[in-house]
Amino acid sequence: MGVTGPAGPVMDRDEADRVLARLAAEHKAVEDSLLALQDHAGRRLLEGAELTGTTRDRWAAAERDITLLWTCFDVYTGALREARGVRARRRWPGRDELVELTERLRGESVVVAGGAGERGLLSERFTLEGLVRRMNELYASSLDVVVTADAVWSALPARIDLLAAELGRTRSLAHSVGVRPGEHPAGDELAAITDELTALRSQVVTDPLAFWRRAAGSSAPGGGRPDTTRYDRAALALEDVRRETEAVLAVRQDSEDRLLRLRDVLSRADRTLAEARAARGEVLAKIAASEVPVVGGPPIVLQERLATAAEYRRHARWHRLSPLLDALEREAEDELLRARESLTSVTAPLAVRAELRGRLDAYRAKVTRLGAAEDPLLTERYDAARRMLWSAPCDLRVAEQAVLRYQQAAADVLSGPRDAGGRE
């Protein structure tokens, strides 16, 4: 239109009515948001909490913004009311009313005192639409602090309390099996987790905004999630301690059976060594020119450690018993294997003699079956080999040669011509 004023083209009646309706809707939306912010649980918690760090600083700024927001809203309410008063003077407003309405609705007709400007001015002028944008900015920044703090408080303290309860149960169980600070690494870890959860909860309650991870690229109030890094680390550490404690508890439950099995293994090893020592004496007495290995003594050190394990069990020192039993079970099996190897090594000459005896008798039986048992050469060589194998001490090398000579003679005799009765 051709008529203009300080605020630009003068509005007609219909345009003025549309702008008034839109600004009234904006007023209602801002009022509802302010009342919701006023009643927000996070805001009430922030007002009553003893805050520290980031949260203290940001909440102090948010409180100033909220105060300024209400000031802006009051100014906006008054300006809208005055504009409505101008419009209500006449059903068909004249030019003077339309010029005044245009100035009030589109011009910088409202003044907000108290440092609304970013440069810290004592007052600042706005259009009504500009004032709405300013209120939206103040609302968004204030709501972000409130929503963020409330989200952290809603998520972390309850989870920390549940973890602390689990920590208490684990600590009670750990103490019952001797897993205590200064006595077992898991006990020291429990003490560290206890200190961490206590500090974490205190910090979460007083400085929740320090535990907020903002979503990348998000500008919406409360865009992000609580930072649970420290909580997750404590939970994993507690799970490790719980497994360690359960392992120690399992030792308490089956330690008696394990000790009995250990005593049995060591007893078998001792008996095997005793058998090896007796066999060595027999070998030295019956086998000549043979190097017989020395047999070691019984596993005295293992017996002493086994007695220590039994002492740990009597005094319920399960955390010390657990690693000792693990080591003893490995070493006892090694000791039994060593005893068996020693017995095998010691009795090897007797086994060789037995093998030679068996071979000699087998050839003798074959010769007899084929009717050549009365052969003079075979009889002579059989008797020679048998004297060597059944006399003490037995020279295995000489005896083996005698058996080989008998075998050769038997082969020669058995390969010659024979009559129908099997004789030459």
Side-chain angles (χ1 to χ4, degrees):
M1 64 181 58
V3 180
T4 62
V10 177
M11 295 185 293
D12 59 23
R13 185 190 67 169
D14 291 339
E15 187 176 6
D17 288 343
R18 287 194 298 273
V19 172
L20 277 171
R22 186 178 70 251
L23 292 174
E26 293 281 5
H27 179 275
K28 181 65 167 64
V30 171
E31 183 180 33
D32 290 345
S33 298
L34 280 173
L35 292 175
L37 179 61
Q38 189 74 14
D39 293 334
H40 198 288
R43 184 180 189 275
R44 293 196 297 270
L45 289 173
L46 284 166
E47 286 180 336
E50 295 183 4
L51 303 176
T52 60
T54 301
T55 306
R56 179 188 57 203
D57 297 339
R58 289 192 59 190
W59 175 238
E63 282 190 306
R64 291 192 295 270
D65 287 347
I66 292 172
T67 300
L68 180 57
L69 182 55
W70 279 105
T71 300
C72 291
F73 180 72
D74 291 341
V75 171
Y76 182 84
T77 300
L80 184 60
R81 182 174 58 250
E82 290 173 359
R84 283 172 172 169
V86 173
R87 176 63 184 87
R89 290 175 190 169
R90 299 181 184 181
R91 181 178 180 184
W92 302 99
R95 184 181 182 281
D96 291 343
E97 285 85 1
L98 291 174
V99 169
E100 186 177 354
L101 279 173
T102 300
E103 174 60 25
R104 288 181 178 278
L105 297 179
R106 286 186 174 170
E108 294 183 347
S109 59
V110 291
V111 178
V112 177
E118 294 182 357
R119 295 184 299 274
L121 302 177
L122 294 178
S123 62
E124 190 171 359
R125 301 186 69 88
F126 292 94
T127 65
L128 286 176
E129 291 184 352
L131 186 57
V132 169
R133 288 193 298 271
R134 180 60 175 153
M135 287 190 292
N136 286 337
E137 293 170 358
L138 293 169
Y139 175 77
S141 62
S142 302
L143 183 64
D144 182 68
V145 173
V146 171
V147 170
T148 299
D150 187 53
V152 173
W153 278 332
S154 298
L156 275 178
R159 295 175 68 181
I160 293 171
D161 289 343
L162 288 175
L163 190 61
E166 177 64 23
L167 172 65
R169 289 189 291 270
T170 302
R171 183 169 53 240
S172 177
L173 180 62
H175 284 188
S176 71
V177 295
V179 177
R180 297 182 178 88
E183 297 183 10
H184 192 282
D188 297 334
E189 185 65 21
L190 272 177
I193 296 171
T194 301
D195 294 342
E196 169 63 2
L197 287 184
T198 301
L200 180 60
R201 196 185 193 290
S202 174
Q203 292 166 18
V204 166
V205 169
T206 61
D207 191 10
L209 298 188
F211 296 87
W212 185 255
R213 183 175 296 175
R214 183 167 295 280
S218 174
S219 59
R225 62 181 180 84
D227 184 355
T228 61
T229 302
R230 288 175 59 184
Y231 168 86
D232 294 338
R233 189 164 52 240
L236 288 175
L238 181 58
E239 177 63 19
D240 290 341
V241 172
R242 186 186 63 78
R243 284 197 296 266
E244 176 67 20
T245 301
E246 289 178 349
V248 175
L249 179 61
V251 171
R252 182 176 70 176
Q253 293 171 340
D254 64 6
S255 59
E256 184 175 3
D257 289 341
R258 292 174 71 181
L259 284 170
L260 288 174
R261 287 195 297 270
L262 273 170
R263 291 190 182 98
D264 179 64
V265 170
L266 291 179
S267 177
R268 285 154 54 197
D270 196 12
R271 291 196 303 270
T272 303
L273 287 176
E275 185 180 350
R277 286 191 293 272
R280 185 173 187 272
E282 181 182 357
V283 169
L284 292 175
K286 295 181 178 181
I287 306 298
S290 179
E291 294 183 0
V292 184
V294 176
V295 179
I300 297 176
V301 174
L302 290 182
Q303 292 289 354
E304 292 174 348
R305 295 178 65 197
L306 183 61
T308 300
E311 188 72 10
Y312 284 163
R313 185 178 183 279
R314 278 193 298 273
H315 292 86
R317 305 183 71 179
W318 310 111
H319 62 292
R320 294 188 180 275
L321 179 59
S322 177
L324 181 56
L325 283 179
D326 291 341
L328 278 174
E329 285 169 343
R330 292 191 301 269
E331 294 169 16
E333 290 296 335
D334 291 342
E335 181 63 25
L336 180 58
L337 178 61
R338 182 183 71 84
R340 288 170 174 170
E341 290 174 347
S342 180
L343 178 60
T344 300
S345 177
V346 166
T347 57
L350 295 176
V352 171
R353 187 184 68 173
E355 189 274 333
L356 290 174
R357 286 177 173 180
R359 195 193 314 170
L360 180 63
D361 288 344
Y363 269 90
R364 175 69 172 175
K366 183 178 181 180
V367 167
T368 301
R369 189 173 66 253
L370 295 177
E374 301 302 325
D375 185 275
L377 179 61
L378 290 180
T379 300
E380 177 188 351
R381 291 191 176 181
Y382 173 77
D383 291 341
R386 194 175 190 286
R387 281 194 302 271
M388 292 180 186
L389 288 171
W390 268 268
S391 62
C394 172
D395 190 325
L396 291 177
R397 286 186 291 270
V398 175
E400 184 178 16
Q401 292 301 316
V403 173
L404 289 174
R405 286 195 298 271
Y406 177 72
Q407 289 179 230
Q408 185 61 49
D412 292 344
V413 169
L414 295 177
S415 63
R418 301 184 180 282
D419 58 19
R423 298 182 295 273
E424 292 186 0

